[in-house]
């Protein structure tokens, strides 16, 4: 019997993985071959999906990107024995895209079936929890603090400090809320983790519960991710059956359980206080802080809100220690972060690297440059509220502080590449449009400003009073930065202003605007955006 | 997608089930929409009394979220991702093509009830753009030609 791995995540499915499986079964039957198909998680190499792997003498040989119509020629080429074929990528682990990563959080992703808990345990799963169960809560929090882990949801707040606050709250009922709203364009790492290695998130949330004294967790999951819900719910059941979730975990007196709550298509509900309102069944309006969620969060009780990746990084920290984790990275950006290379890119996918890797390494060495093979024009890092970076400004190390200094945003690690055909004035107009659609409506600069901003950019694009409207748009940006409660209104000016500063010729041919000294986005007094605290 | 016709008793018992869930109003609306294809205006009063809220509060929640609809969608729901990564690979052109083909603008449902066309901001498949979802099934790298094929062959 020959093992063939075919991923079961959304990306693989979106390029026909189920049809490939059907074709494999039919052909194997016709040819009298004895195959065993394993639906594994994805390795995150989206550009190779659907990525088949055949196990030959205990080694996995990769073939991709495979379409259903390739199956015949794969059999003909003897792929069951590792035969050569134009889709053959060699030994999976030796594919440079994978080999050159530093996988800590995603160390297991792709290895086995996402729901195979024995494979999970066999690949060092649940060691972090086992260690934690033997430690006093404060020691767990200290270990996470020591690792230098900072929130991967965007604001990069130190996870240990947040946990410490929640631990210090002398209240019986506390909650762990996992932010799985992943609304940023260009990001999909949360999704891959939940679909392909759900036990890691469950383990991370359990450790968080143990550390701060919470027995109930919620995952706030965006409704665009139905497969995550299915995978997680199956994983909950398996974990409960095996004593890793629910009452008396691993025979100790620690109990912890998790419930999923679905979002309903609102971007701003990714903001943690809007998320808490939404979890309570209310409108997803942003709350003013303080009170901090760690003191007064869900239903008014102490709540740790963490991104999926922050929580999923905890198991390896508690397994190998904070020192091991913080050995990766540079400056105050410790550990690794799964970057997501997206947009107009030849080899898009997930690349987990230590902080300090540069954008050109990610875009060219891993990504292979633009898909269209036209020159790169701009890159947007950090989601729809991130600045556009020009091709001559790419030489930035991936580091929270370095990005902030440059007036850019690292955020959740999404990298969206545009080629020279992109019209940056259309992107600026879209940024306002998106803010107008997604604003929670609490503050006027954001609610009204976004609508006016869209109109003003449209006027500039149509050549109406360009000079006057140009300054009006910049004024409006300043107002929104200064007068918004959260980063939705406060950072929408980032993509808008960076597009205006770096690509004025996309907006107008007015010589006055084009001649005006380009201030250089990074030299400006940036950013006035509201600093997010925990 | 096949949904049940509105029926007050069924709605009531569904709502009853969710009202015991702490903060369960969103889940309740999802449940109604899953069952009936929409959150019917007739259900607002029922939710208000079950959750001990005012009608205005219930309507406020309903209207805040893009997902909830007050009348059923078309037979097929087509969502085009219009967020940045998909824009970088031609989602604007694709949107124009689909609007032309179906004779619908984003946000509209065809009169015969065949199609609902919607925009969505990121389907989480940004490495293989542009993306489209048809009745919840995700398709990557959708060119106008591929879209036509999806519609005719369901491929
Ligand atoms: C408009 C807006 C959208 C956000 N969306 C998300 C999101 O989708 N996922 C996420 O984890 N954090 C998001 N955040 C950040 C959260 O507010 C919060 O900082 C984070 O969930 C905390 O977890 P962390 O410390 O683990 O990063 C968003 C913030 C804003 C202002
Ligand atoms: S900035 Fe916008 S989204 Fe944020 S609280 Fe104000 S109105 Fe709401
Ligand atoms: S931007 Fe379209 S799928 Fe993410």
């Amino acid at each position: 019997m020959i093992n063939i791995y075919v991923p079961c995540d959304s990306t693989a499915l979106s390029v026909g993985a189920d049809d490939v499986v059907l074709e494999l079964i039919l052909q194997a039957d016709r040819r009298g071959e004895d195959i065993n198909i394993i639906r594994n998680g994805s390795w995150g190499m989206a550009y190779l999906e659907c990525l088949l792997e055949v196990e030959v003498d205990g080694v996995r040989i990769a073939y991709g990107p495979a379409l259903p119509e390739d199956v015949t020629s794969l059999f003909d080429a003897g792929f069951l024995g590792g035969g050569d074929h134009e889709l053959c990528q060699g030994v999976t682990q030796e594919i440079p895209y994978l080999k050159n990563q530093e996988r800590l959080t995603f160390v297991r992703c792709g290895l086995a079936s996402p729901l195979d808990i024995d494979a999970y345990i066999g690949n060092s799963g649940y060691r972090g929890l086992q260690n934690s169960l033997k430690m006093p809560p404060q020691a767990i929090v200290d270990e996470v603090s020591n690792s230098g882990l900072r929130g991967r949801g965007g604001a990069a707040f130190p996870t240990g400090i947040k946990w410490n606050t929640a631990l210090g709250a002398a209240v019986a009922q506390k909650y762990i809320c996992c932010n799985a709203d992943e609304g940023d364009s260009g990001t999909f790492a949360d999704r891959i983790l939940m679909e392909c290695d759900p036990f890691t998130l469950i383990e991370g949330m359990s450790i968080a519960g143990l550390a701060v004294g919470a027995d109930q967790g919620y995952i706030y999951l965006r409704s665009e991710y139905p497969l995550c819900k299915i995978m997680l719910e199956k994983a909950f059941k398996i974990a409960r059956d095996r004593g890793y979730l629910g009452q008396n975990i691993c025979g100790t007196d620690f109990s912890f359980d998790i419930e999923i709550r679905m979002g309903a298509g609102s971007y701003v509900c990714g903001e943690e206080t809007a998320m808490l309102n939404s979890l309570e069944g209310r409108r997803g309006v942003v709350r003013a802080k303080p009170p901090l969620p760690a003191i007064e969060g869900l239903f008014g009780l102490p709540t740790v809100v963490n991104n999926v990746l922050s929580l999923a990084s905890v198991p390896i920290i508690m397994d190998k220690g904070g020192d091991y984790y913080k050995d990766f990275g540079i400056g105050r950006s410790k550990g690794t972060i799964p970057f997501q290379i997206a947009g107009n890119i030849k080899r898009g996918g997930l690349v987990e690297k230590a902080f300090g890797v540069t954008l050109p390494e990610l875009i060219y060495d891993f990504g292979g440059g633009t898909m269209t093979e036209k020159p790169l024009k701009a890159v947007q890092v950090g989601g729809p509220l991130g600045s556009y970076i020009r091709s001559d400004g790419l030489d930035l190390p991936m580091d929270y502080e370095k990005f902030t200094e440059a007036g850019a945003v690292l955020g959740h690690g999404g990298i969206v590449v545009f080629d020279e055909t992109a019209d940056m004035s259309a992107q600026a107009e879209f940024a306002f449009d998106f803010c107008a659609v997604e604003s929670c409506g609490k503050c006027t600069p954001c609610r009204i400003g976004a609508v006016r901003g869209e109109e003003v950019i449209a006027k500039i694009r149509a050549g109406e009073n360009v000079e006057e409207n140009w300054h009006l748009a910049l004024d409006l940006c300043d107002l929104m930065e200064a007068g918004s409660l959260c980063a939705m209104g406060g950072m929408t000016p980032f993509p808008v202003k960076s597009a205006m500063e770096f690509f004025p010729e996309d907006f107008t041919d007015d010589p006055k605007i084009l001649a005006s000294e380009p201030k250089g986005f990074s030299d400006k007094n940036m950013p006035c955006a509201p600093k997010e605290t925990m | 997608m096949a949904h049940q016709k509105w029926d007050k008793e069924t709605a009531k018992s569904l709502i009853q089930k969710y009202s015991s869930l702490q903060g369960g109003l969103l889940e309740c609306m999802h449940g109604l929409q899953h069952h009936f294809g929409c959150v019917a205006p007739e259900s607002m009063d029922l939710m208000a009394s079950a959750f001990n809220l005012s009608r205005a509060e219930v309507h406020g929640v309903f209207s805040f979220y893009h997902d909830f609809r007050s009348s059923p969608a078309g037979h097929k729901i087509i969502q085009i991702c219009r967020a940045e990564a998909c824009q970088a690979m031609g989602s604007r052109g694709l949107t124009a093509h689909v609007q032309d083909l179906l004779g619908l603008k984003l946000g509209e449902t065809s009169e015969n009830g065949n199609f609902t066309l919607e925009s969505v901001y990121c389907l989480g498949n940004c490495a293989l753009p542009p993306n489209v979802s048809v009745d919840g099934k995700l398709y990557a790298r959708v060119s106008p030609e591929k879209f036509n094929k999806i519609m005719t062959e369901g491929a």
Side-chain angles (χ1 to χ4, degrees):
Chain A
M1 185 140 75
I2 298 164
N3 285 337
I4 303 181
Y5 292 83
V6 187
C8 61
D9 83 311
S10 291
T11 299
L13 295 179
S14 75
V15 289
D18 282 348
D19 296 331
V20 169
V21 166
L22 205 62
E23 200 56 37
L24 284 170
I25 293 173
L26 290 172
Q27 297 246 2
D29 187 48
R30 206 171 304 146
R31 294 167 191 249
E33 299 281 4
D34 190 11
I35 62 168
N36 173 38
I37 293 177
I38 300 166
R39 301 303 298 267
N40 61 326
S42 166
W43 293 103
M45 296 182 280
Y47 69 103
L48 288 181
E49 299 293 2
C50 179
L51 183 70
L52 307 182
E53 290 174 90
V54 183
E55 197 171 314
V56 185
D57 300 330
V59 177
R60 281 156 72 165
I61 315 281
Y63 296 85
L67 296 170
E69 45 270 38
D70 295 319
V71 171
T72 301
S73 68
L74 281 166
F75 271 103
D76 290 346
F79 86 125
L80 290 182
D84 198 24
H85 185 277
E86 58 175 343
L87 297 181
C88 185
Q89 305 289 333
V91 175
T92 311
Q93 294 302 328
E94 296 297 322
I95 299 173
Y97 200 91
L98 194 59
K99 194 178 179 186
N100 296 333
Q101 297 190 30
E102 290 147 299
R103 289 202 165 201
L104 301 184
T105 309
F106 282 79
V107 63
R108 277 173 294 262
C109 194
L111 270 178
S113 157
L115 298 173
D116 184 344
I117 195 167
D118 292 312
Y120 181 75
I121 295 167
N123 290 299
S124 60
Y126 276 123
R127 279 205 229 161
L129 179 68
Q130 297 289 6
N131 290 343
S132 306
L133 284 167
K134 293 177 215 128
M135 294 162 71
Q138 187 67 54
I140 304 173
V141 172
D142 290 346
E143 198 60 46
V144 171
S145 297
N146 175 39
S147 75
L149 177 66
R150 290 163 74 181
R152 300 286 185 250
F157 189 85
T159 305
I161 298 185
K162 189 182 285 190
W163 287 20
N164 207 41
T165 309
L167 172 60
V171 178
Q173 180 69 60
K174 302 178 190 176
Y175 297 108
I176 307 296
C177 286
C178 170
N179 190 340
D181 200 43
E182 194 163 66
D184 289 358
S185 164
T187 66
F188 43 83
D190 294 355
R191 174 183 64 71
I192 293 187
L193 189 108
M194 291 184 281
E195 288 177 353
C196 303
D197 194 18
F199 293 117
T200 299
L201 178 60
I202 297 175
E203 183 181 350
M205 289 181 72
S206 309
I207 297 173
L210 186 60
V212 307
D215 66 356
Q216 178 65 43
Y218 288 95
I219 297 176
Y220 185 80
L221 179 65
R222 68 196 300 250
S223 58
E224 291 83 350
Y225 286 179
L227 188 57
C228 290
K229 183 176 190 218
I230 294 172
M231 282 299 189
L232 285 166
E233 278 178 345
K234 286 185 180 167
F236 292 167
K237 189 174 177 312
I238 295 167
R240 280 185 201 118
D241 287 349
R242 297 284 291 264
Y244 285 105
L245 197 62
Q247 294 296 317
N248 301 103
I249 287 175
C250 298
T252 65
D253 55 10
F254 169 59
S255 299
F256 185 79
D257 216 323
I258 307 176
E259 220 180 274
I260 299 177
R261 291 293 174 89
M262 295 305 274
S266 156
Y267 175 75
V268 76
C269 284
E271 195 284 335
E272 57 184 3
T273 59
M275 184 194 87
L276 293 173
N277 275 333
S278 191
L279 273 169
E280 291 177 12
R282 302 171 200 271
R283 292 165 66 87
V285 175
V286 174
R287 298 177 184 172
K289 287 183 280 195
L292 299 171
I295 293 167
E296 235 181 280
L298 189 65
F299 305 116
L301 296 166
T303 304
V304 167
V305 180
N306 270 136
N307 174 254
V308 173
L309 302 179
S310 316
L311 290 161
S313 300
V314 169
I316 191 157
I317 292 171
M318 296 312 295
D319 173 17
K320 300 204 166 172
D323 285 338
Y324 173 83
Y325 190 79
K326 76 175 175 202
D327 246 12
F328 296 84
I330 54 165
R332 294 211 296 119
S333 303
K334 300 294 188 202
T336 60
I337 173 167
F339 295 103
Q340 300 127 83
I341 314 178
N344 194 329
I345 190 84
K346 207 172 278 167
R347 297 195 292 264
L350 178 139
V351 175
E352 183 172 354
K353 285 292 281 179
F355 288 93
V357 59
T358 64
L359 269 175
E361 287 175 77
L362 291 167
I363 294 170
Y364 295 106
D365 300 352
F366 283 95
T370 60
M371 177 77 188
T372 46
E373 301 195 329
K374 292 184 175 143
L376 180 151
K377 179 169 186 174
V379 177
Q380 188 180 34
V381 184
L385 307 176
S387 309
Y388 285 102
I389 303 172
R390 203 161 54 177
S391 59
D392 59 3
L394 291 182
D395 216 0
L396 267 180
M398 306 306 277
D399 167 283
Y400 291 120
E401 278 65 40
K402 290 275 176 350
F403 261 65
T404 309
E405 274 168 34
V409 183
L410 208 161
H412 191 50
I415 298 168
V416 178
V417 177
F418 293 80
D419 76 4
E420 62 179 8
T421 61
D423 175 350
M424 301 311 290
S425 68
Q427 296 310 122
E429 190 176 334
F430 172 78
F432 274 132
D433 178 24
F434 183 68
C435 183
V437 173
E438 299 297 336
S439 169
C440 85
K442 186 154 177 154
C443 15
T444 318
C446 170
R447 185 183 67 242
I448 311 280
V451 179
R452 292 290 167 263
E454 191 188 347
E455 292 165 2
V456 173
I457 301 287
K459 282 184 192 159
I460 296 172
R461 298 182 73 202
E464 273 178 53
N465 294 331
V466 172
E467 206 187 340
E468 196 181 315
N469 281 319
W470 185 267
H471 294 294
L472 192 60
L474 290 176
D475 261 5
L476 179 64
C477 283
D478 287 345
L479 177 78
M480 287 176 70
E481 282 177 31
S484 299
L485 180 60
C486 84
M488 180 85 234
M491 285 170 60
T492 290
F494 284 30
V496 174
K497 286 206 314 198
S498 53
M500 290 172 75
E501 302 244 13
F502 290 145
F503 309 96
E505 64 284 358
D506 281 10
F507 291 76
T508 176
D509 47 18
D510 186 323
K512 275 212 209 95
I513 303 286
L514 297 180
S516 68
E517 186 68 16
K519 283 184 217 119
F521 190 62
S522 49
D523 302 339
K524 294 208 67 180
N525 269 343
M526 289 291 299
C528 337
K531 278 268 171 288
E532 266 196 79
T533 50
M534 49 171 145
Chain B
M1 279 187 281
H3 293 293
Q4 307 299 311
K5 241 178 88 58
W6 167 257
D7 151 46
K8 192 171 171 182
E9 286 317 307
T10 314
K12 256 186 159 162
S13 68
L14 268 173
I15 293 169
Q16 200 53 46
K17 199 180 92 195
Y18 287 104
S19 66
S20 57
L21 201 64
Q22 201 178 13
L25 186 56
L26 244 78
E27 289 293 318
C28 179
M29 289 184 186
H30 276 304
L32 288 172
Q33 185 150 311
H34 185 76
H35 195 84
F36 297 114
C38 68
V39 184
E42 297 93 313
S43 57
M44 296 290 165
D45 275 345
L46 303 178
M47 284 188 278
S49 63
F51 283 87
N52 202 16
L53 294 167
S54 71
R55 259 173 72 191
E57 282 170 306
V58 174
H59 189 265
V61 171
F62 166 79
S63 62
F64 184 88
Y65 295 96
H66 303 306
D67 278 3
F68 300 132
R69 52 179 104 250
S70 55
S71 55
H75 183 62
K76 258 191 194 320
I77 303 179
I78 299 158
Q79 295 181 313
I80 305 181
C81 176
R82 294 178 67 223
E84 287 87 343
C86 288
Q87 290 169 352
M89 283 302 285
S91 76
R92 286 191 180 88
L94 177 67
T95 305
H97 169 80
V98 174
Q99 293 191 138
D100 269 5
L101 186 76
L102 303 180
L104 289 176
K105 294 228 171 307
L106 290 167
E108 289 181 351
T109 296
S110 48
E111 259 169 50
N112 56 17
N114 273 344
F115 303 107
T116 290
L117 183 60
E118 291 178 339
S119 44
V120 46
Y121 298 100
C122 194
L123 291 159
N125 204 30
C126 329
L128 301 177
N131 287 285
V132 168
S133 140
V134 179
D135 287 344
K137 185 167 166 24
L138 184 61
Y139 296 89
R141 292 232 188 276
V142 182
S143 60
E145 299 71 47
K146 182 162 171 188
F147 182 82
N148 295 352
K149 216 173 133 211
I150 294 167
M151 294 315 281
T152 49
E153 300 171 13

